[in-house]
Amino acid sequence: MKRHWRNRSHDDGTLPDSDSDSDTRSNRRFPLTRLMALFLFSLFLFSLTFILPHPHIQSSQTAKSLLQLKQTHQGDTSESVELLKDKLLGGLIADGFDEKSCRSRYDSLTYGKRLSGNPSSYLVSRLRKYEALHKECGPYTESYNRTVRDLRSGHVSESSACKYVVWISYSGLGNRILTLASTFLYALLTDRVLLVDPGVDMVDLFCEPFPHVSWFLPPDFPLNSQFPNLGQKSDQCYGKMLKNKSITDSMVVPSFLYLHLVHDYDDQDKLFFCDGDQTFLQKVPWLLVKTDNYFVPSLFLMPSFEQELNNLFPNKETVFHFLVFDSETGPFQHVLDQILACTLKANLLSDVNRAGNIVNSSGKPKSKAVLMTSLSSGYFEKVRDMYWEYPTVTGEIVGIYQPSHEGYQQTEKQLHNQKAWAEMYLLSLTDELVTSSWSTFGYVSQGLGGLKPWILYKPENRTAPDPPCQRAMSTEPCFHAPPFYDCKAKRGIDTGALVPHVRHCEDMSWGLKLVDKYSWQ
């Protein structure tokens, strides 16, 4: 069951209703520059976040005062340079944007923690190189227009300097953020320009990440009308062409191909992760990708990308941080029991004294704020009532908060997705995180925030598991449907046992995730 944090962008706590004011719209979008950078920095049931009493999480008024204070020190050159460096996240964000166009791109630094470590100088230089390529090849540039003319005619020009990967908007918001990050990394590795299908709400949810030219696919792109019908049975599907043996060394290179990397993809589709197939794909000017998988771990298993990825990400756990489920509703009581057991076992919350005895303290009692996210309000009400009715055994004060409960997932509803994106972003700013297994909602939050969450084990037989949860090995999301195939030997293999920095996930035994090569030992 998923939950969403309401975006408090107005003083009265409401979201703006009108899209007519461009400044208002840009201010409520979130900085996918930071996602792309913080991708490049790397609910089903439930997400719990604990804001421990640390001074760096400041009130809105304090944040404004701090910003004003920093702005008064412009005369200090060294401080101004340092402030600019901080605002650009060590070079992850490109300089040259009008700050008013996307306030969250810069203001977010005031609300949360510092980045955990610095991006490699090589990553920063590659981002600058990519931005130059995007400026040359982006929508309606001379190079783009020429390549689109070739696409309409079915002609492939060998002299074209621009090749593209088109990300097709698909699945829920959490999946879209994870797959967009994955596709951008693939574009970076293959010197392609990433263009984004706007779908129904991407323009309203995310700021433009690259200066001077948009990353959104224009409405007159000639293949737009085909997106809804693309699938494994499409004639342009690479997996189907391999299955039908219609791809040969002598064939004319097609002007575009469709890559089906959705969870139901078959063995032929998965050959996308083989170097030999990448050699052929590199010749194709336009690659259209539809996926609901965070497929980054499998890119790390490809020899042709190995050295480049090592240079980009010396610490493998920071990929998503630097770049940016069950079909049945969980039975209520045993899920609640599991949540409480996990938070108590991990010393995230204090138990209550049901005898009602209040612990006397000479000083000011400590306090904790707990943000609970779920489509239902039932969990929140039970936990809130428990801490209202009984004192804690330690004397600390625990506040439980749930801003909204949507009731059910509404993937195509814009306001619903705005709330969801706001919640994922707010969760990333906290100190401790507890998520349910397989939660892409949680994956985005932990990756953006650089958090190693406590993951609730999936319940069996409608009872709370023992132990109830496990600490994650890394901040990275899990690739739920990876290939298990040795491209050279052409046989099945355990891809979670090949290299120390790609391991099986805690919440899905067959999934893959990136870890620091020392942290798993």
Side-chain angles (χ1 to χ4, degrees):
M1 303 176 68
K2 301 179 192 168
R3 284 266 316 115
H4 315 295
W5 281 100
R6 189 180 300 270
N7 179 8
R8 303 298 187 187
S9 57
H10 281 191
D11 290 339
D12 62 358
T14 61
L15 282 166
D17 295 323
S18 173
D19 285 342
S20 60
D21 186 332
S22 60
D23 287 338
T24 300
R25 290 184 65 195
S26 66
N27 288 346
R28 78 165 181 255
R29 292 196 299 265
F30 283 78
L32 205 60
T33 299
R34 187 174 184 199
L35 172 65
M36 306 310 298
L38 290 189
F39 139 63
L40 282 165
F41 195 49
S42 249
L43 234 151
F44 160 70
L45 229 40
F46 203 102
S47 289
L48 256 184
T49 307
F50 301 87
I51 305 180
L52 301 181
H54 284 292
H56 63 256
I57 295 183
Q58 304 172 50
S59 68
S60 176
Q61 188 58 47
T62 304
K64 292 178 182 177
S65 300
L66 182 60
L67 268 179
Q68 292 168 357
L69 177 63
K70 288 184 177 179
Q71 290 169 353
T72 62
H73 291 173
Q74 300 273 328
D76 187 334
T77 304
S78 62
E79 185 171 340
S80 298
V81 171
E82 188 63 29
L83 178 59
L84 177 62
K85 181 180 178 182
D86 288 346
K87 294 178 77 171
L88 299 180
L89 302 180
L92 291 176
I93 294 178
D95 194 10
F97 281 108
D98 177 3
E99 292 190 22
K100 294 181 180 179
S101 68
C102 184
R103 286 182 56 187
S104 58
R105 194 196 313 272
Y106 303 97
D107 288 1
S108 61
L109 300 180
T110 309
Y111 308 144
K113 298 179 280 291
R114 296 274 180 180
L115 297 177
S116 54
N118 296 314
S120 68
S121 59
Y122 186 74
L123 170 59
V124 173
S125 68
R126 285 292 287 113
L127 287 175
R128 298 294 86 81
K129 180 180 177 182
Y130 174 83
E131 288 154 10
L133 180 66
H134 198 98
K135 182 179 180 180
E136 177 187 352
C137 302
Y140 298 128
T141 60
E142 181 180 346
S143 297
Y144 171 86
N145 292 338
R146 183 171 56 251
T147 311
V148 167
R149 285 196 298 270
D150 291 344
L151 177 63
R152 292 183 188 277
S153 67
H155 173 71
V156 175
S157 173
E158 295 183 1
S159 62
S160 176
C162 302
K163 290 185 170 64
Y164 300 86
V165 55
V166 177
W167 174 90
I168 298 175
S169 184
Y170 175 75
S171 193
L173 182 60
N175 281 328
R176 279 187 279 161
I177 294 172
L178 295 174
T179 60
L180 191 48
S182 303
T183 308
F184 177 66
L185 179 57
Y186 177 70
L188 203 67
L189 292 171
T190 55
D191 293 318
R192 289 181 178 270
V193 172
L194 171 68
L195 294 181
V196 173
D197 166 26
V200 297
D201 58 6
M202 293 296 290
V203 174
D204 288 311
L205 289 175
F206 302 108
C207 299
E208 289 276 6
F210 309 118
H212 311 301
V213 63
S214 178
W215 71 333
F216 287 114
L217 202 61
D220 58 356
F221 181 66
L223 302 180
N224 278 343
S225 62
Q226 298 187 33
F227 290 174
N229 300 319
L230 289 174
Q232 285 178 298
K233 296 182 179 179
S234 302
D235 292 337
Q236 301 83 8
C237 179
Y238 183 63
K240 180 181 178 180
M241 295 175 73
L242 290 175
K243 191 180 301 184
N244 295 340
K245 303 186 186 306
S246 57
I247 291 181
T248 63
D249 293 337
S250 60
M251 77 169 292
V252 176
V253 176
S255 58
F256 80 96
L257 283 176
Y258 165 65
L259 301 173
H260 187 80
L261 302 181
V262 183
H263 64 275
D264 64 352
Y265 62 162
D266 59 24
D267 291 342
Q268 284 72 36
D269 297 315
K270 293 176 184 178
L271 293 176
F272 165 82
F273 296 105
C274 290
D275 281 336
D277 293 78
Q278 284 297 323
T279 301
F280 175 79
L281 292 172
Q282 188 60 30
K283 303 174 185 177
V284 182
W286 292 89
L287 297 179
L288 314 182
V289 179
K290 185 181 292 184
T291 179
D292 56 2
N293 280 307
Y294 179 72
F295 57 79
V296 168
S298 284
L299 298 179
F300 275 79
L301 297 178
M302 299 175 65
S304 61
F305 296 151
E306 182 178 9
Q307 187 58 55
E308 181 75 356
L309 286 168
N310 285 336
N311 292 338
L312 290 169
F313 306 107
N315 182 351
K316 306 303 183 291
E317 290 189 24
T318 61
V319 175
F320 185 83
H321 186 51
F322 277 132
L323 285 183
V324 159
F325 45 38
D326 214 330
S327 60
E328 178 186 6
T329 300
F332 181 84
Q333 188 57 49
H334 83 257
V335 174
L336 180 61
D337 292 342
Q338 183 182 6
I339 293 166
L340 294 174
C342 177
T343 55
L344 294 176
K345 180 180 177 64
N347 293 319
L348 299 176
L349 288 179
S350 299
D351 202 355
V352 296
N353 187 334
R354 296 187 182 273
N357 299 326
I358 298 176
V359 176
N360 293 321
S361 176
S362 56
K364 184 178 180 180
K366 294 181 179 180
S367 62
K368 288 182 180 178
V370 181
L371 308 182
M372 300 185 68
T373 65
S374 171
L375 288 175
S376 167
S377 62
Y379 300 102
F380 156 73
E381 291 168 355
K382 287 288 185 180
V383 178
R384 177 201 60 188
D385 291 349
M386 183 177 75
Y387 283 101
W388 271 4
E389 294 173 8
Y390 303 104
T392 61
V393 295
T394 60
E396 70 180 4
I397 299 172
V398 178
I400 312 295
Y401 305 93
Q402 178 176 334
S404 64
H405 46 92
E406 297 285 276
Y408 61 96
Q409 186 172 359
Q410 306 162 58
T411 301
E412 298 301 319
K413 187 175 179 181
Q414 181 174 318
L415 182 58
H416 177 90
N417 285 330
Q418 287 175 335
K419 293 178 183 179
W421 189 200
E423 288 187 2
M424 285 184 268
Y425 191 75
L426 287 176
L427 293 177
S428 73
L429 301 178
T430 58
D431 295 297
E432 295 288 348
L433 180 67
V434 179
T435 66
S436 58
S437 296
W438 306 9
S439 172
T440 55
F441 194 100
Y443 293 161
V444 172
S445 300
Q446 72 192 49
L448 285 176
L451 301 167
K452 292 184 180 180
W454 292 88
I455 303 174
L456 299 171
Y457 288 112
K458 291 193 75 66
E460 296 181 2
N461 300 321
R462 299 180 182 270
T463 58
D466 185 19
C469 58
Q470 176 185 354
R471 192 71 181 264
M473 292 181 288
S474 76
T475 66
E476 279 289 300
C478 178
F479 181 7
H480 285 174
F484 294 97
Y485 185 71
D486 186 324
C487 296
K488 290 185 177 179
K490 299 186 183 303
R491 60 180 176 83
I493 194 171
D494 181 2
T495 48
L498 296 178
V499 294
H501 52 272
V502 178
R503 313 302 298 170
H504 287 299
C505 307
E506 302 88 351
D507 54 341
M508 182 176 283
S509 61
W510 60 89
L512 296 180
K513 71 183 300 183
L514 293 171
V515 301
D516 182 75
K517 62 183 178 181
Y518 302 109
S519 65
W520 66 275
Q521 296 175 338

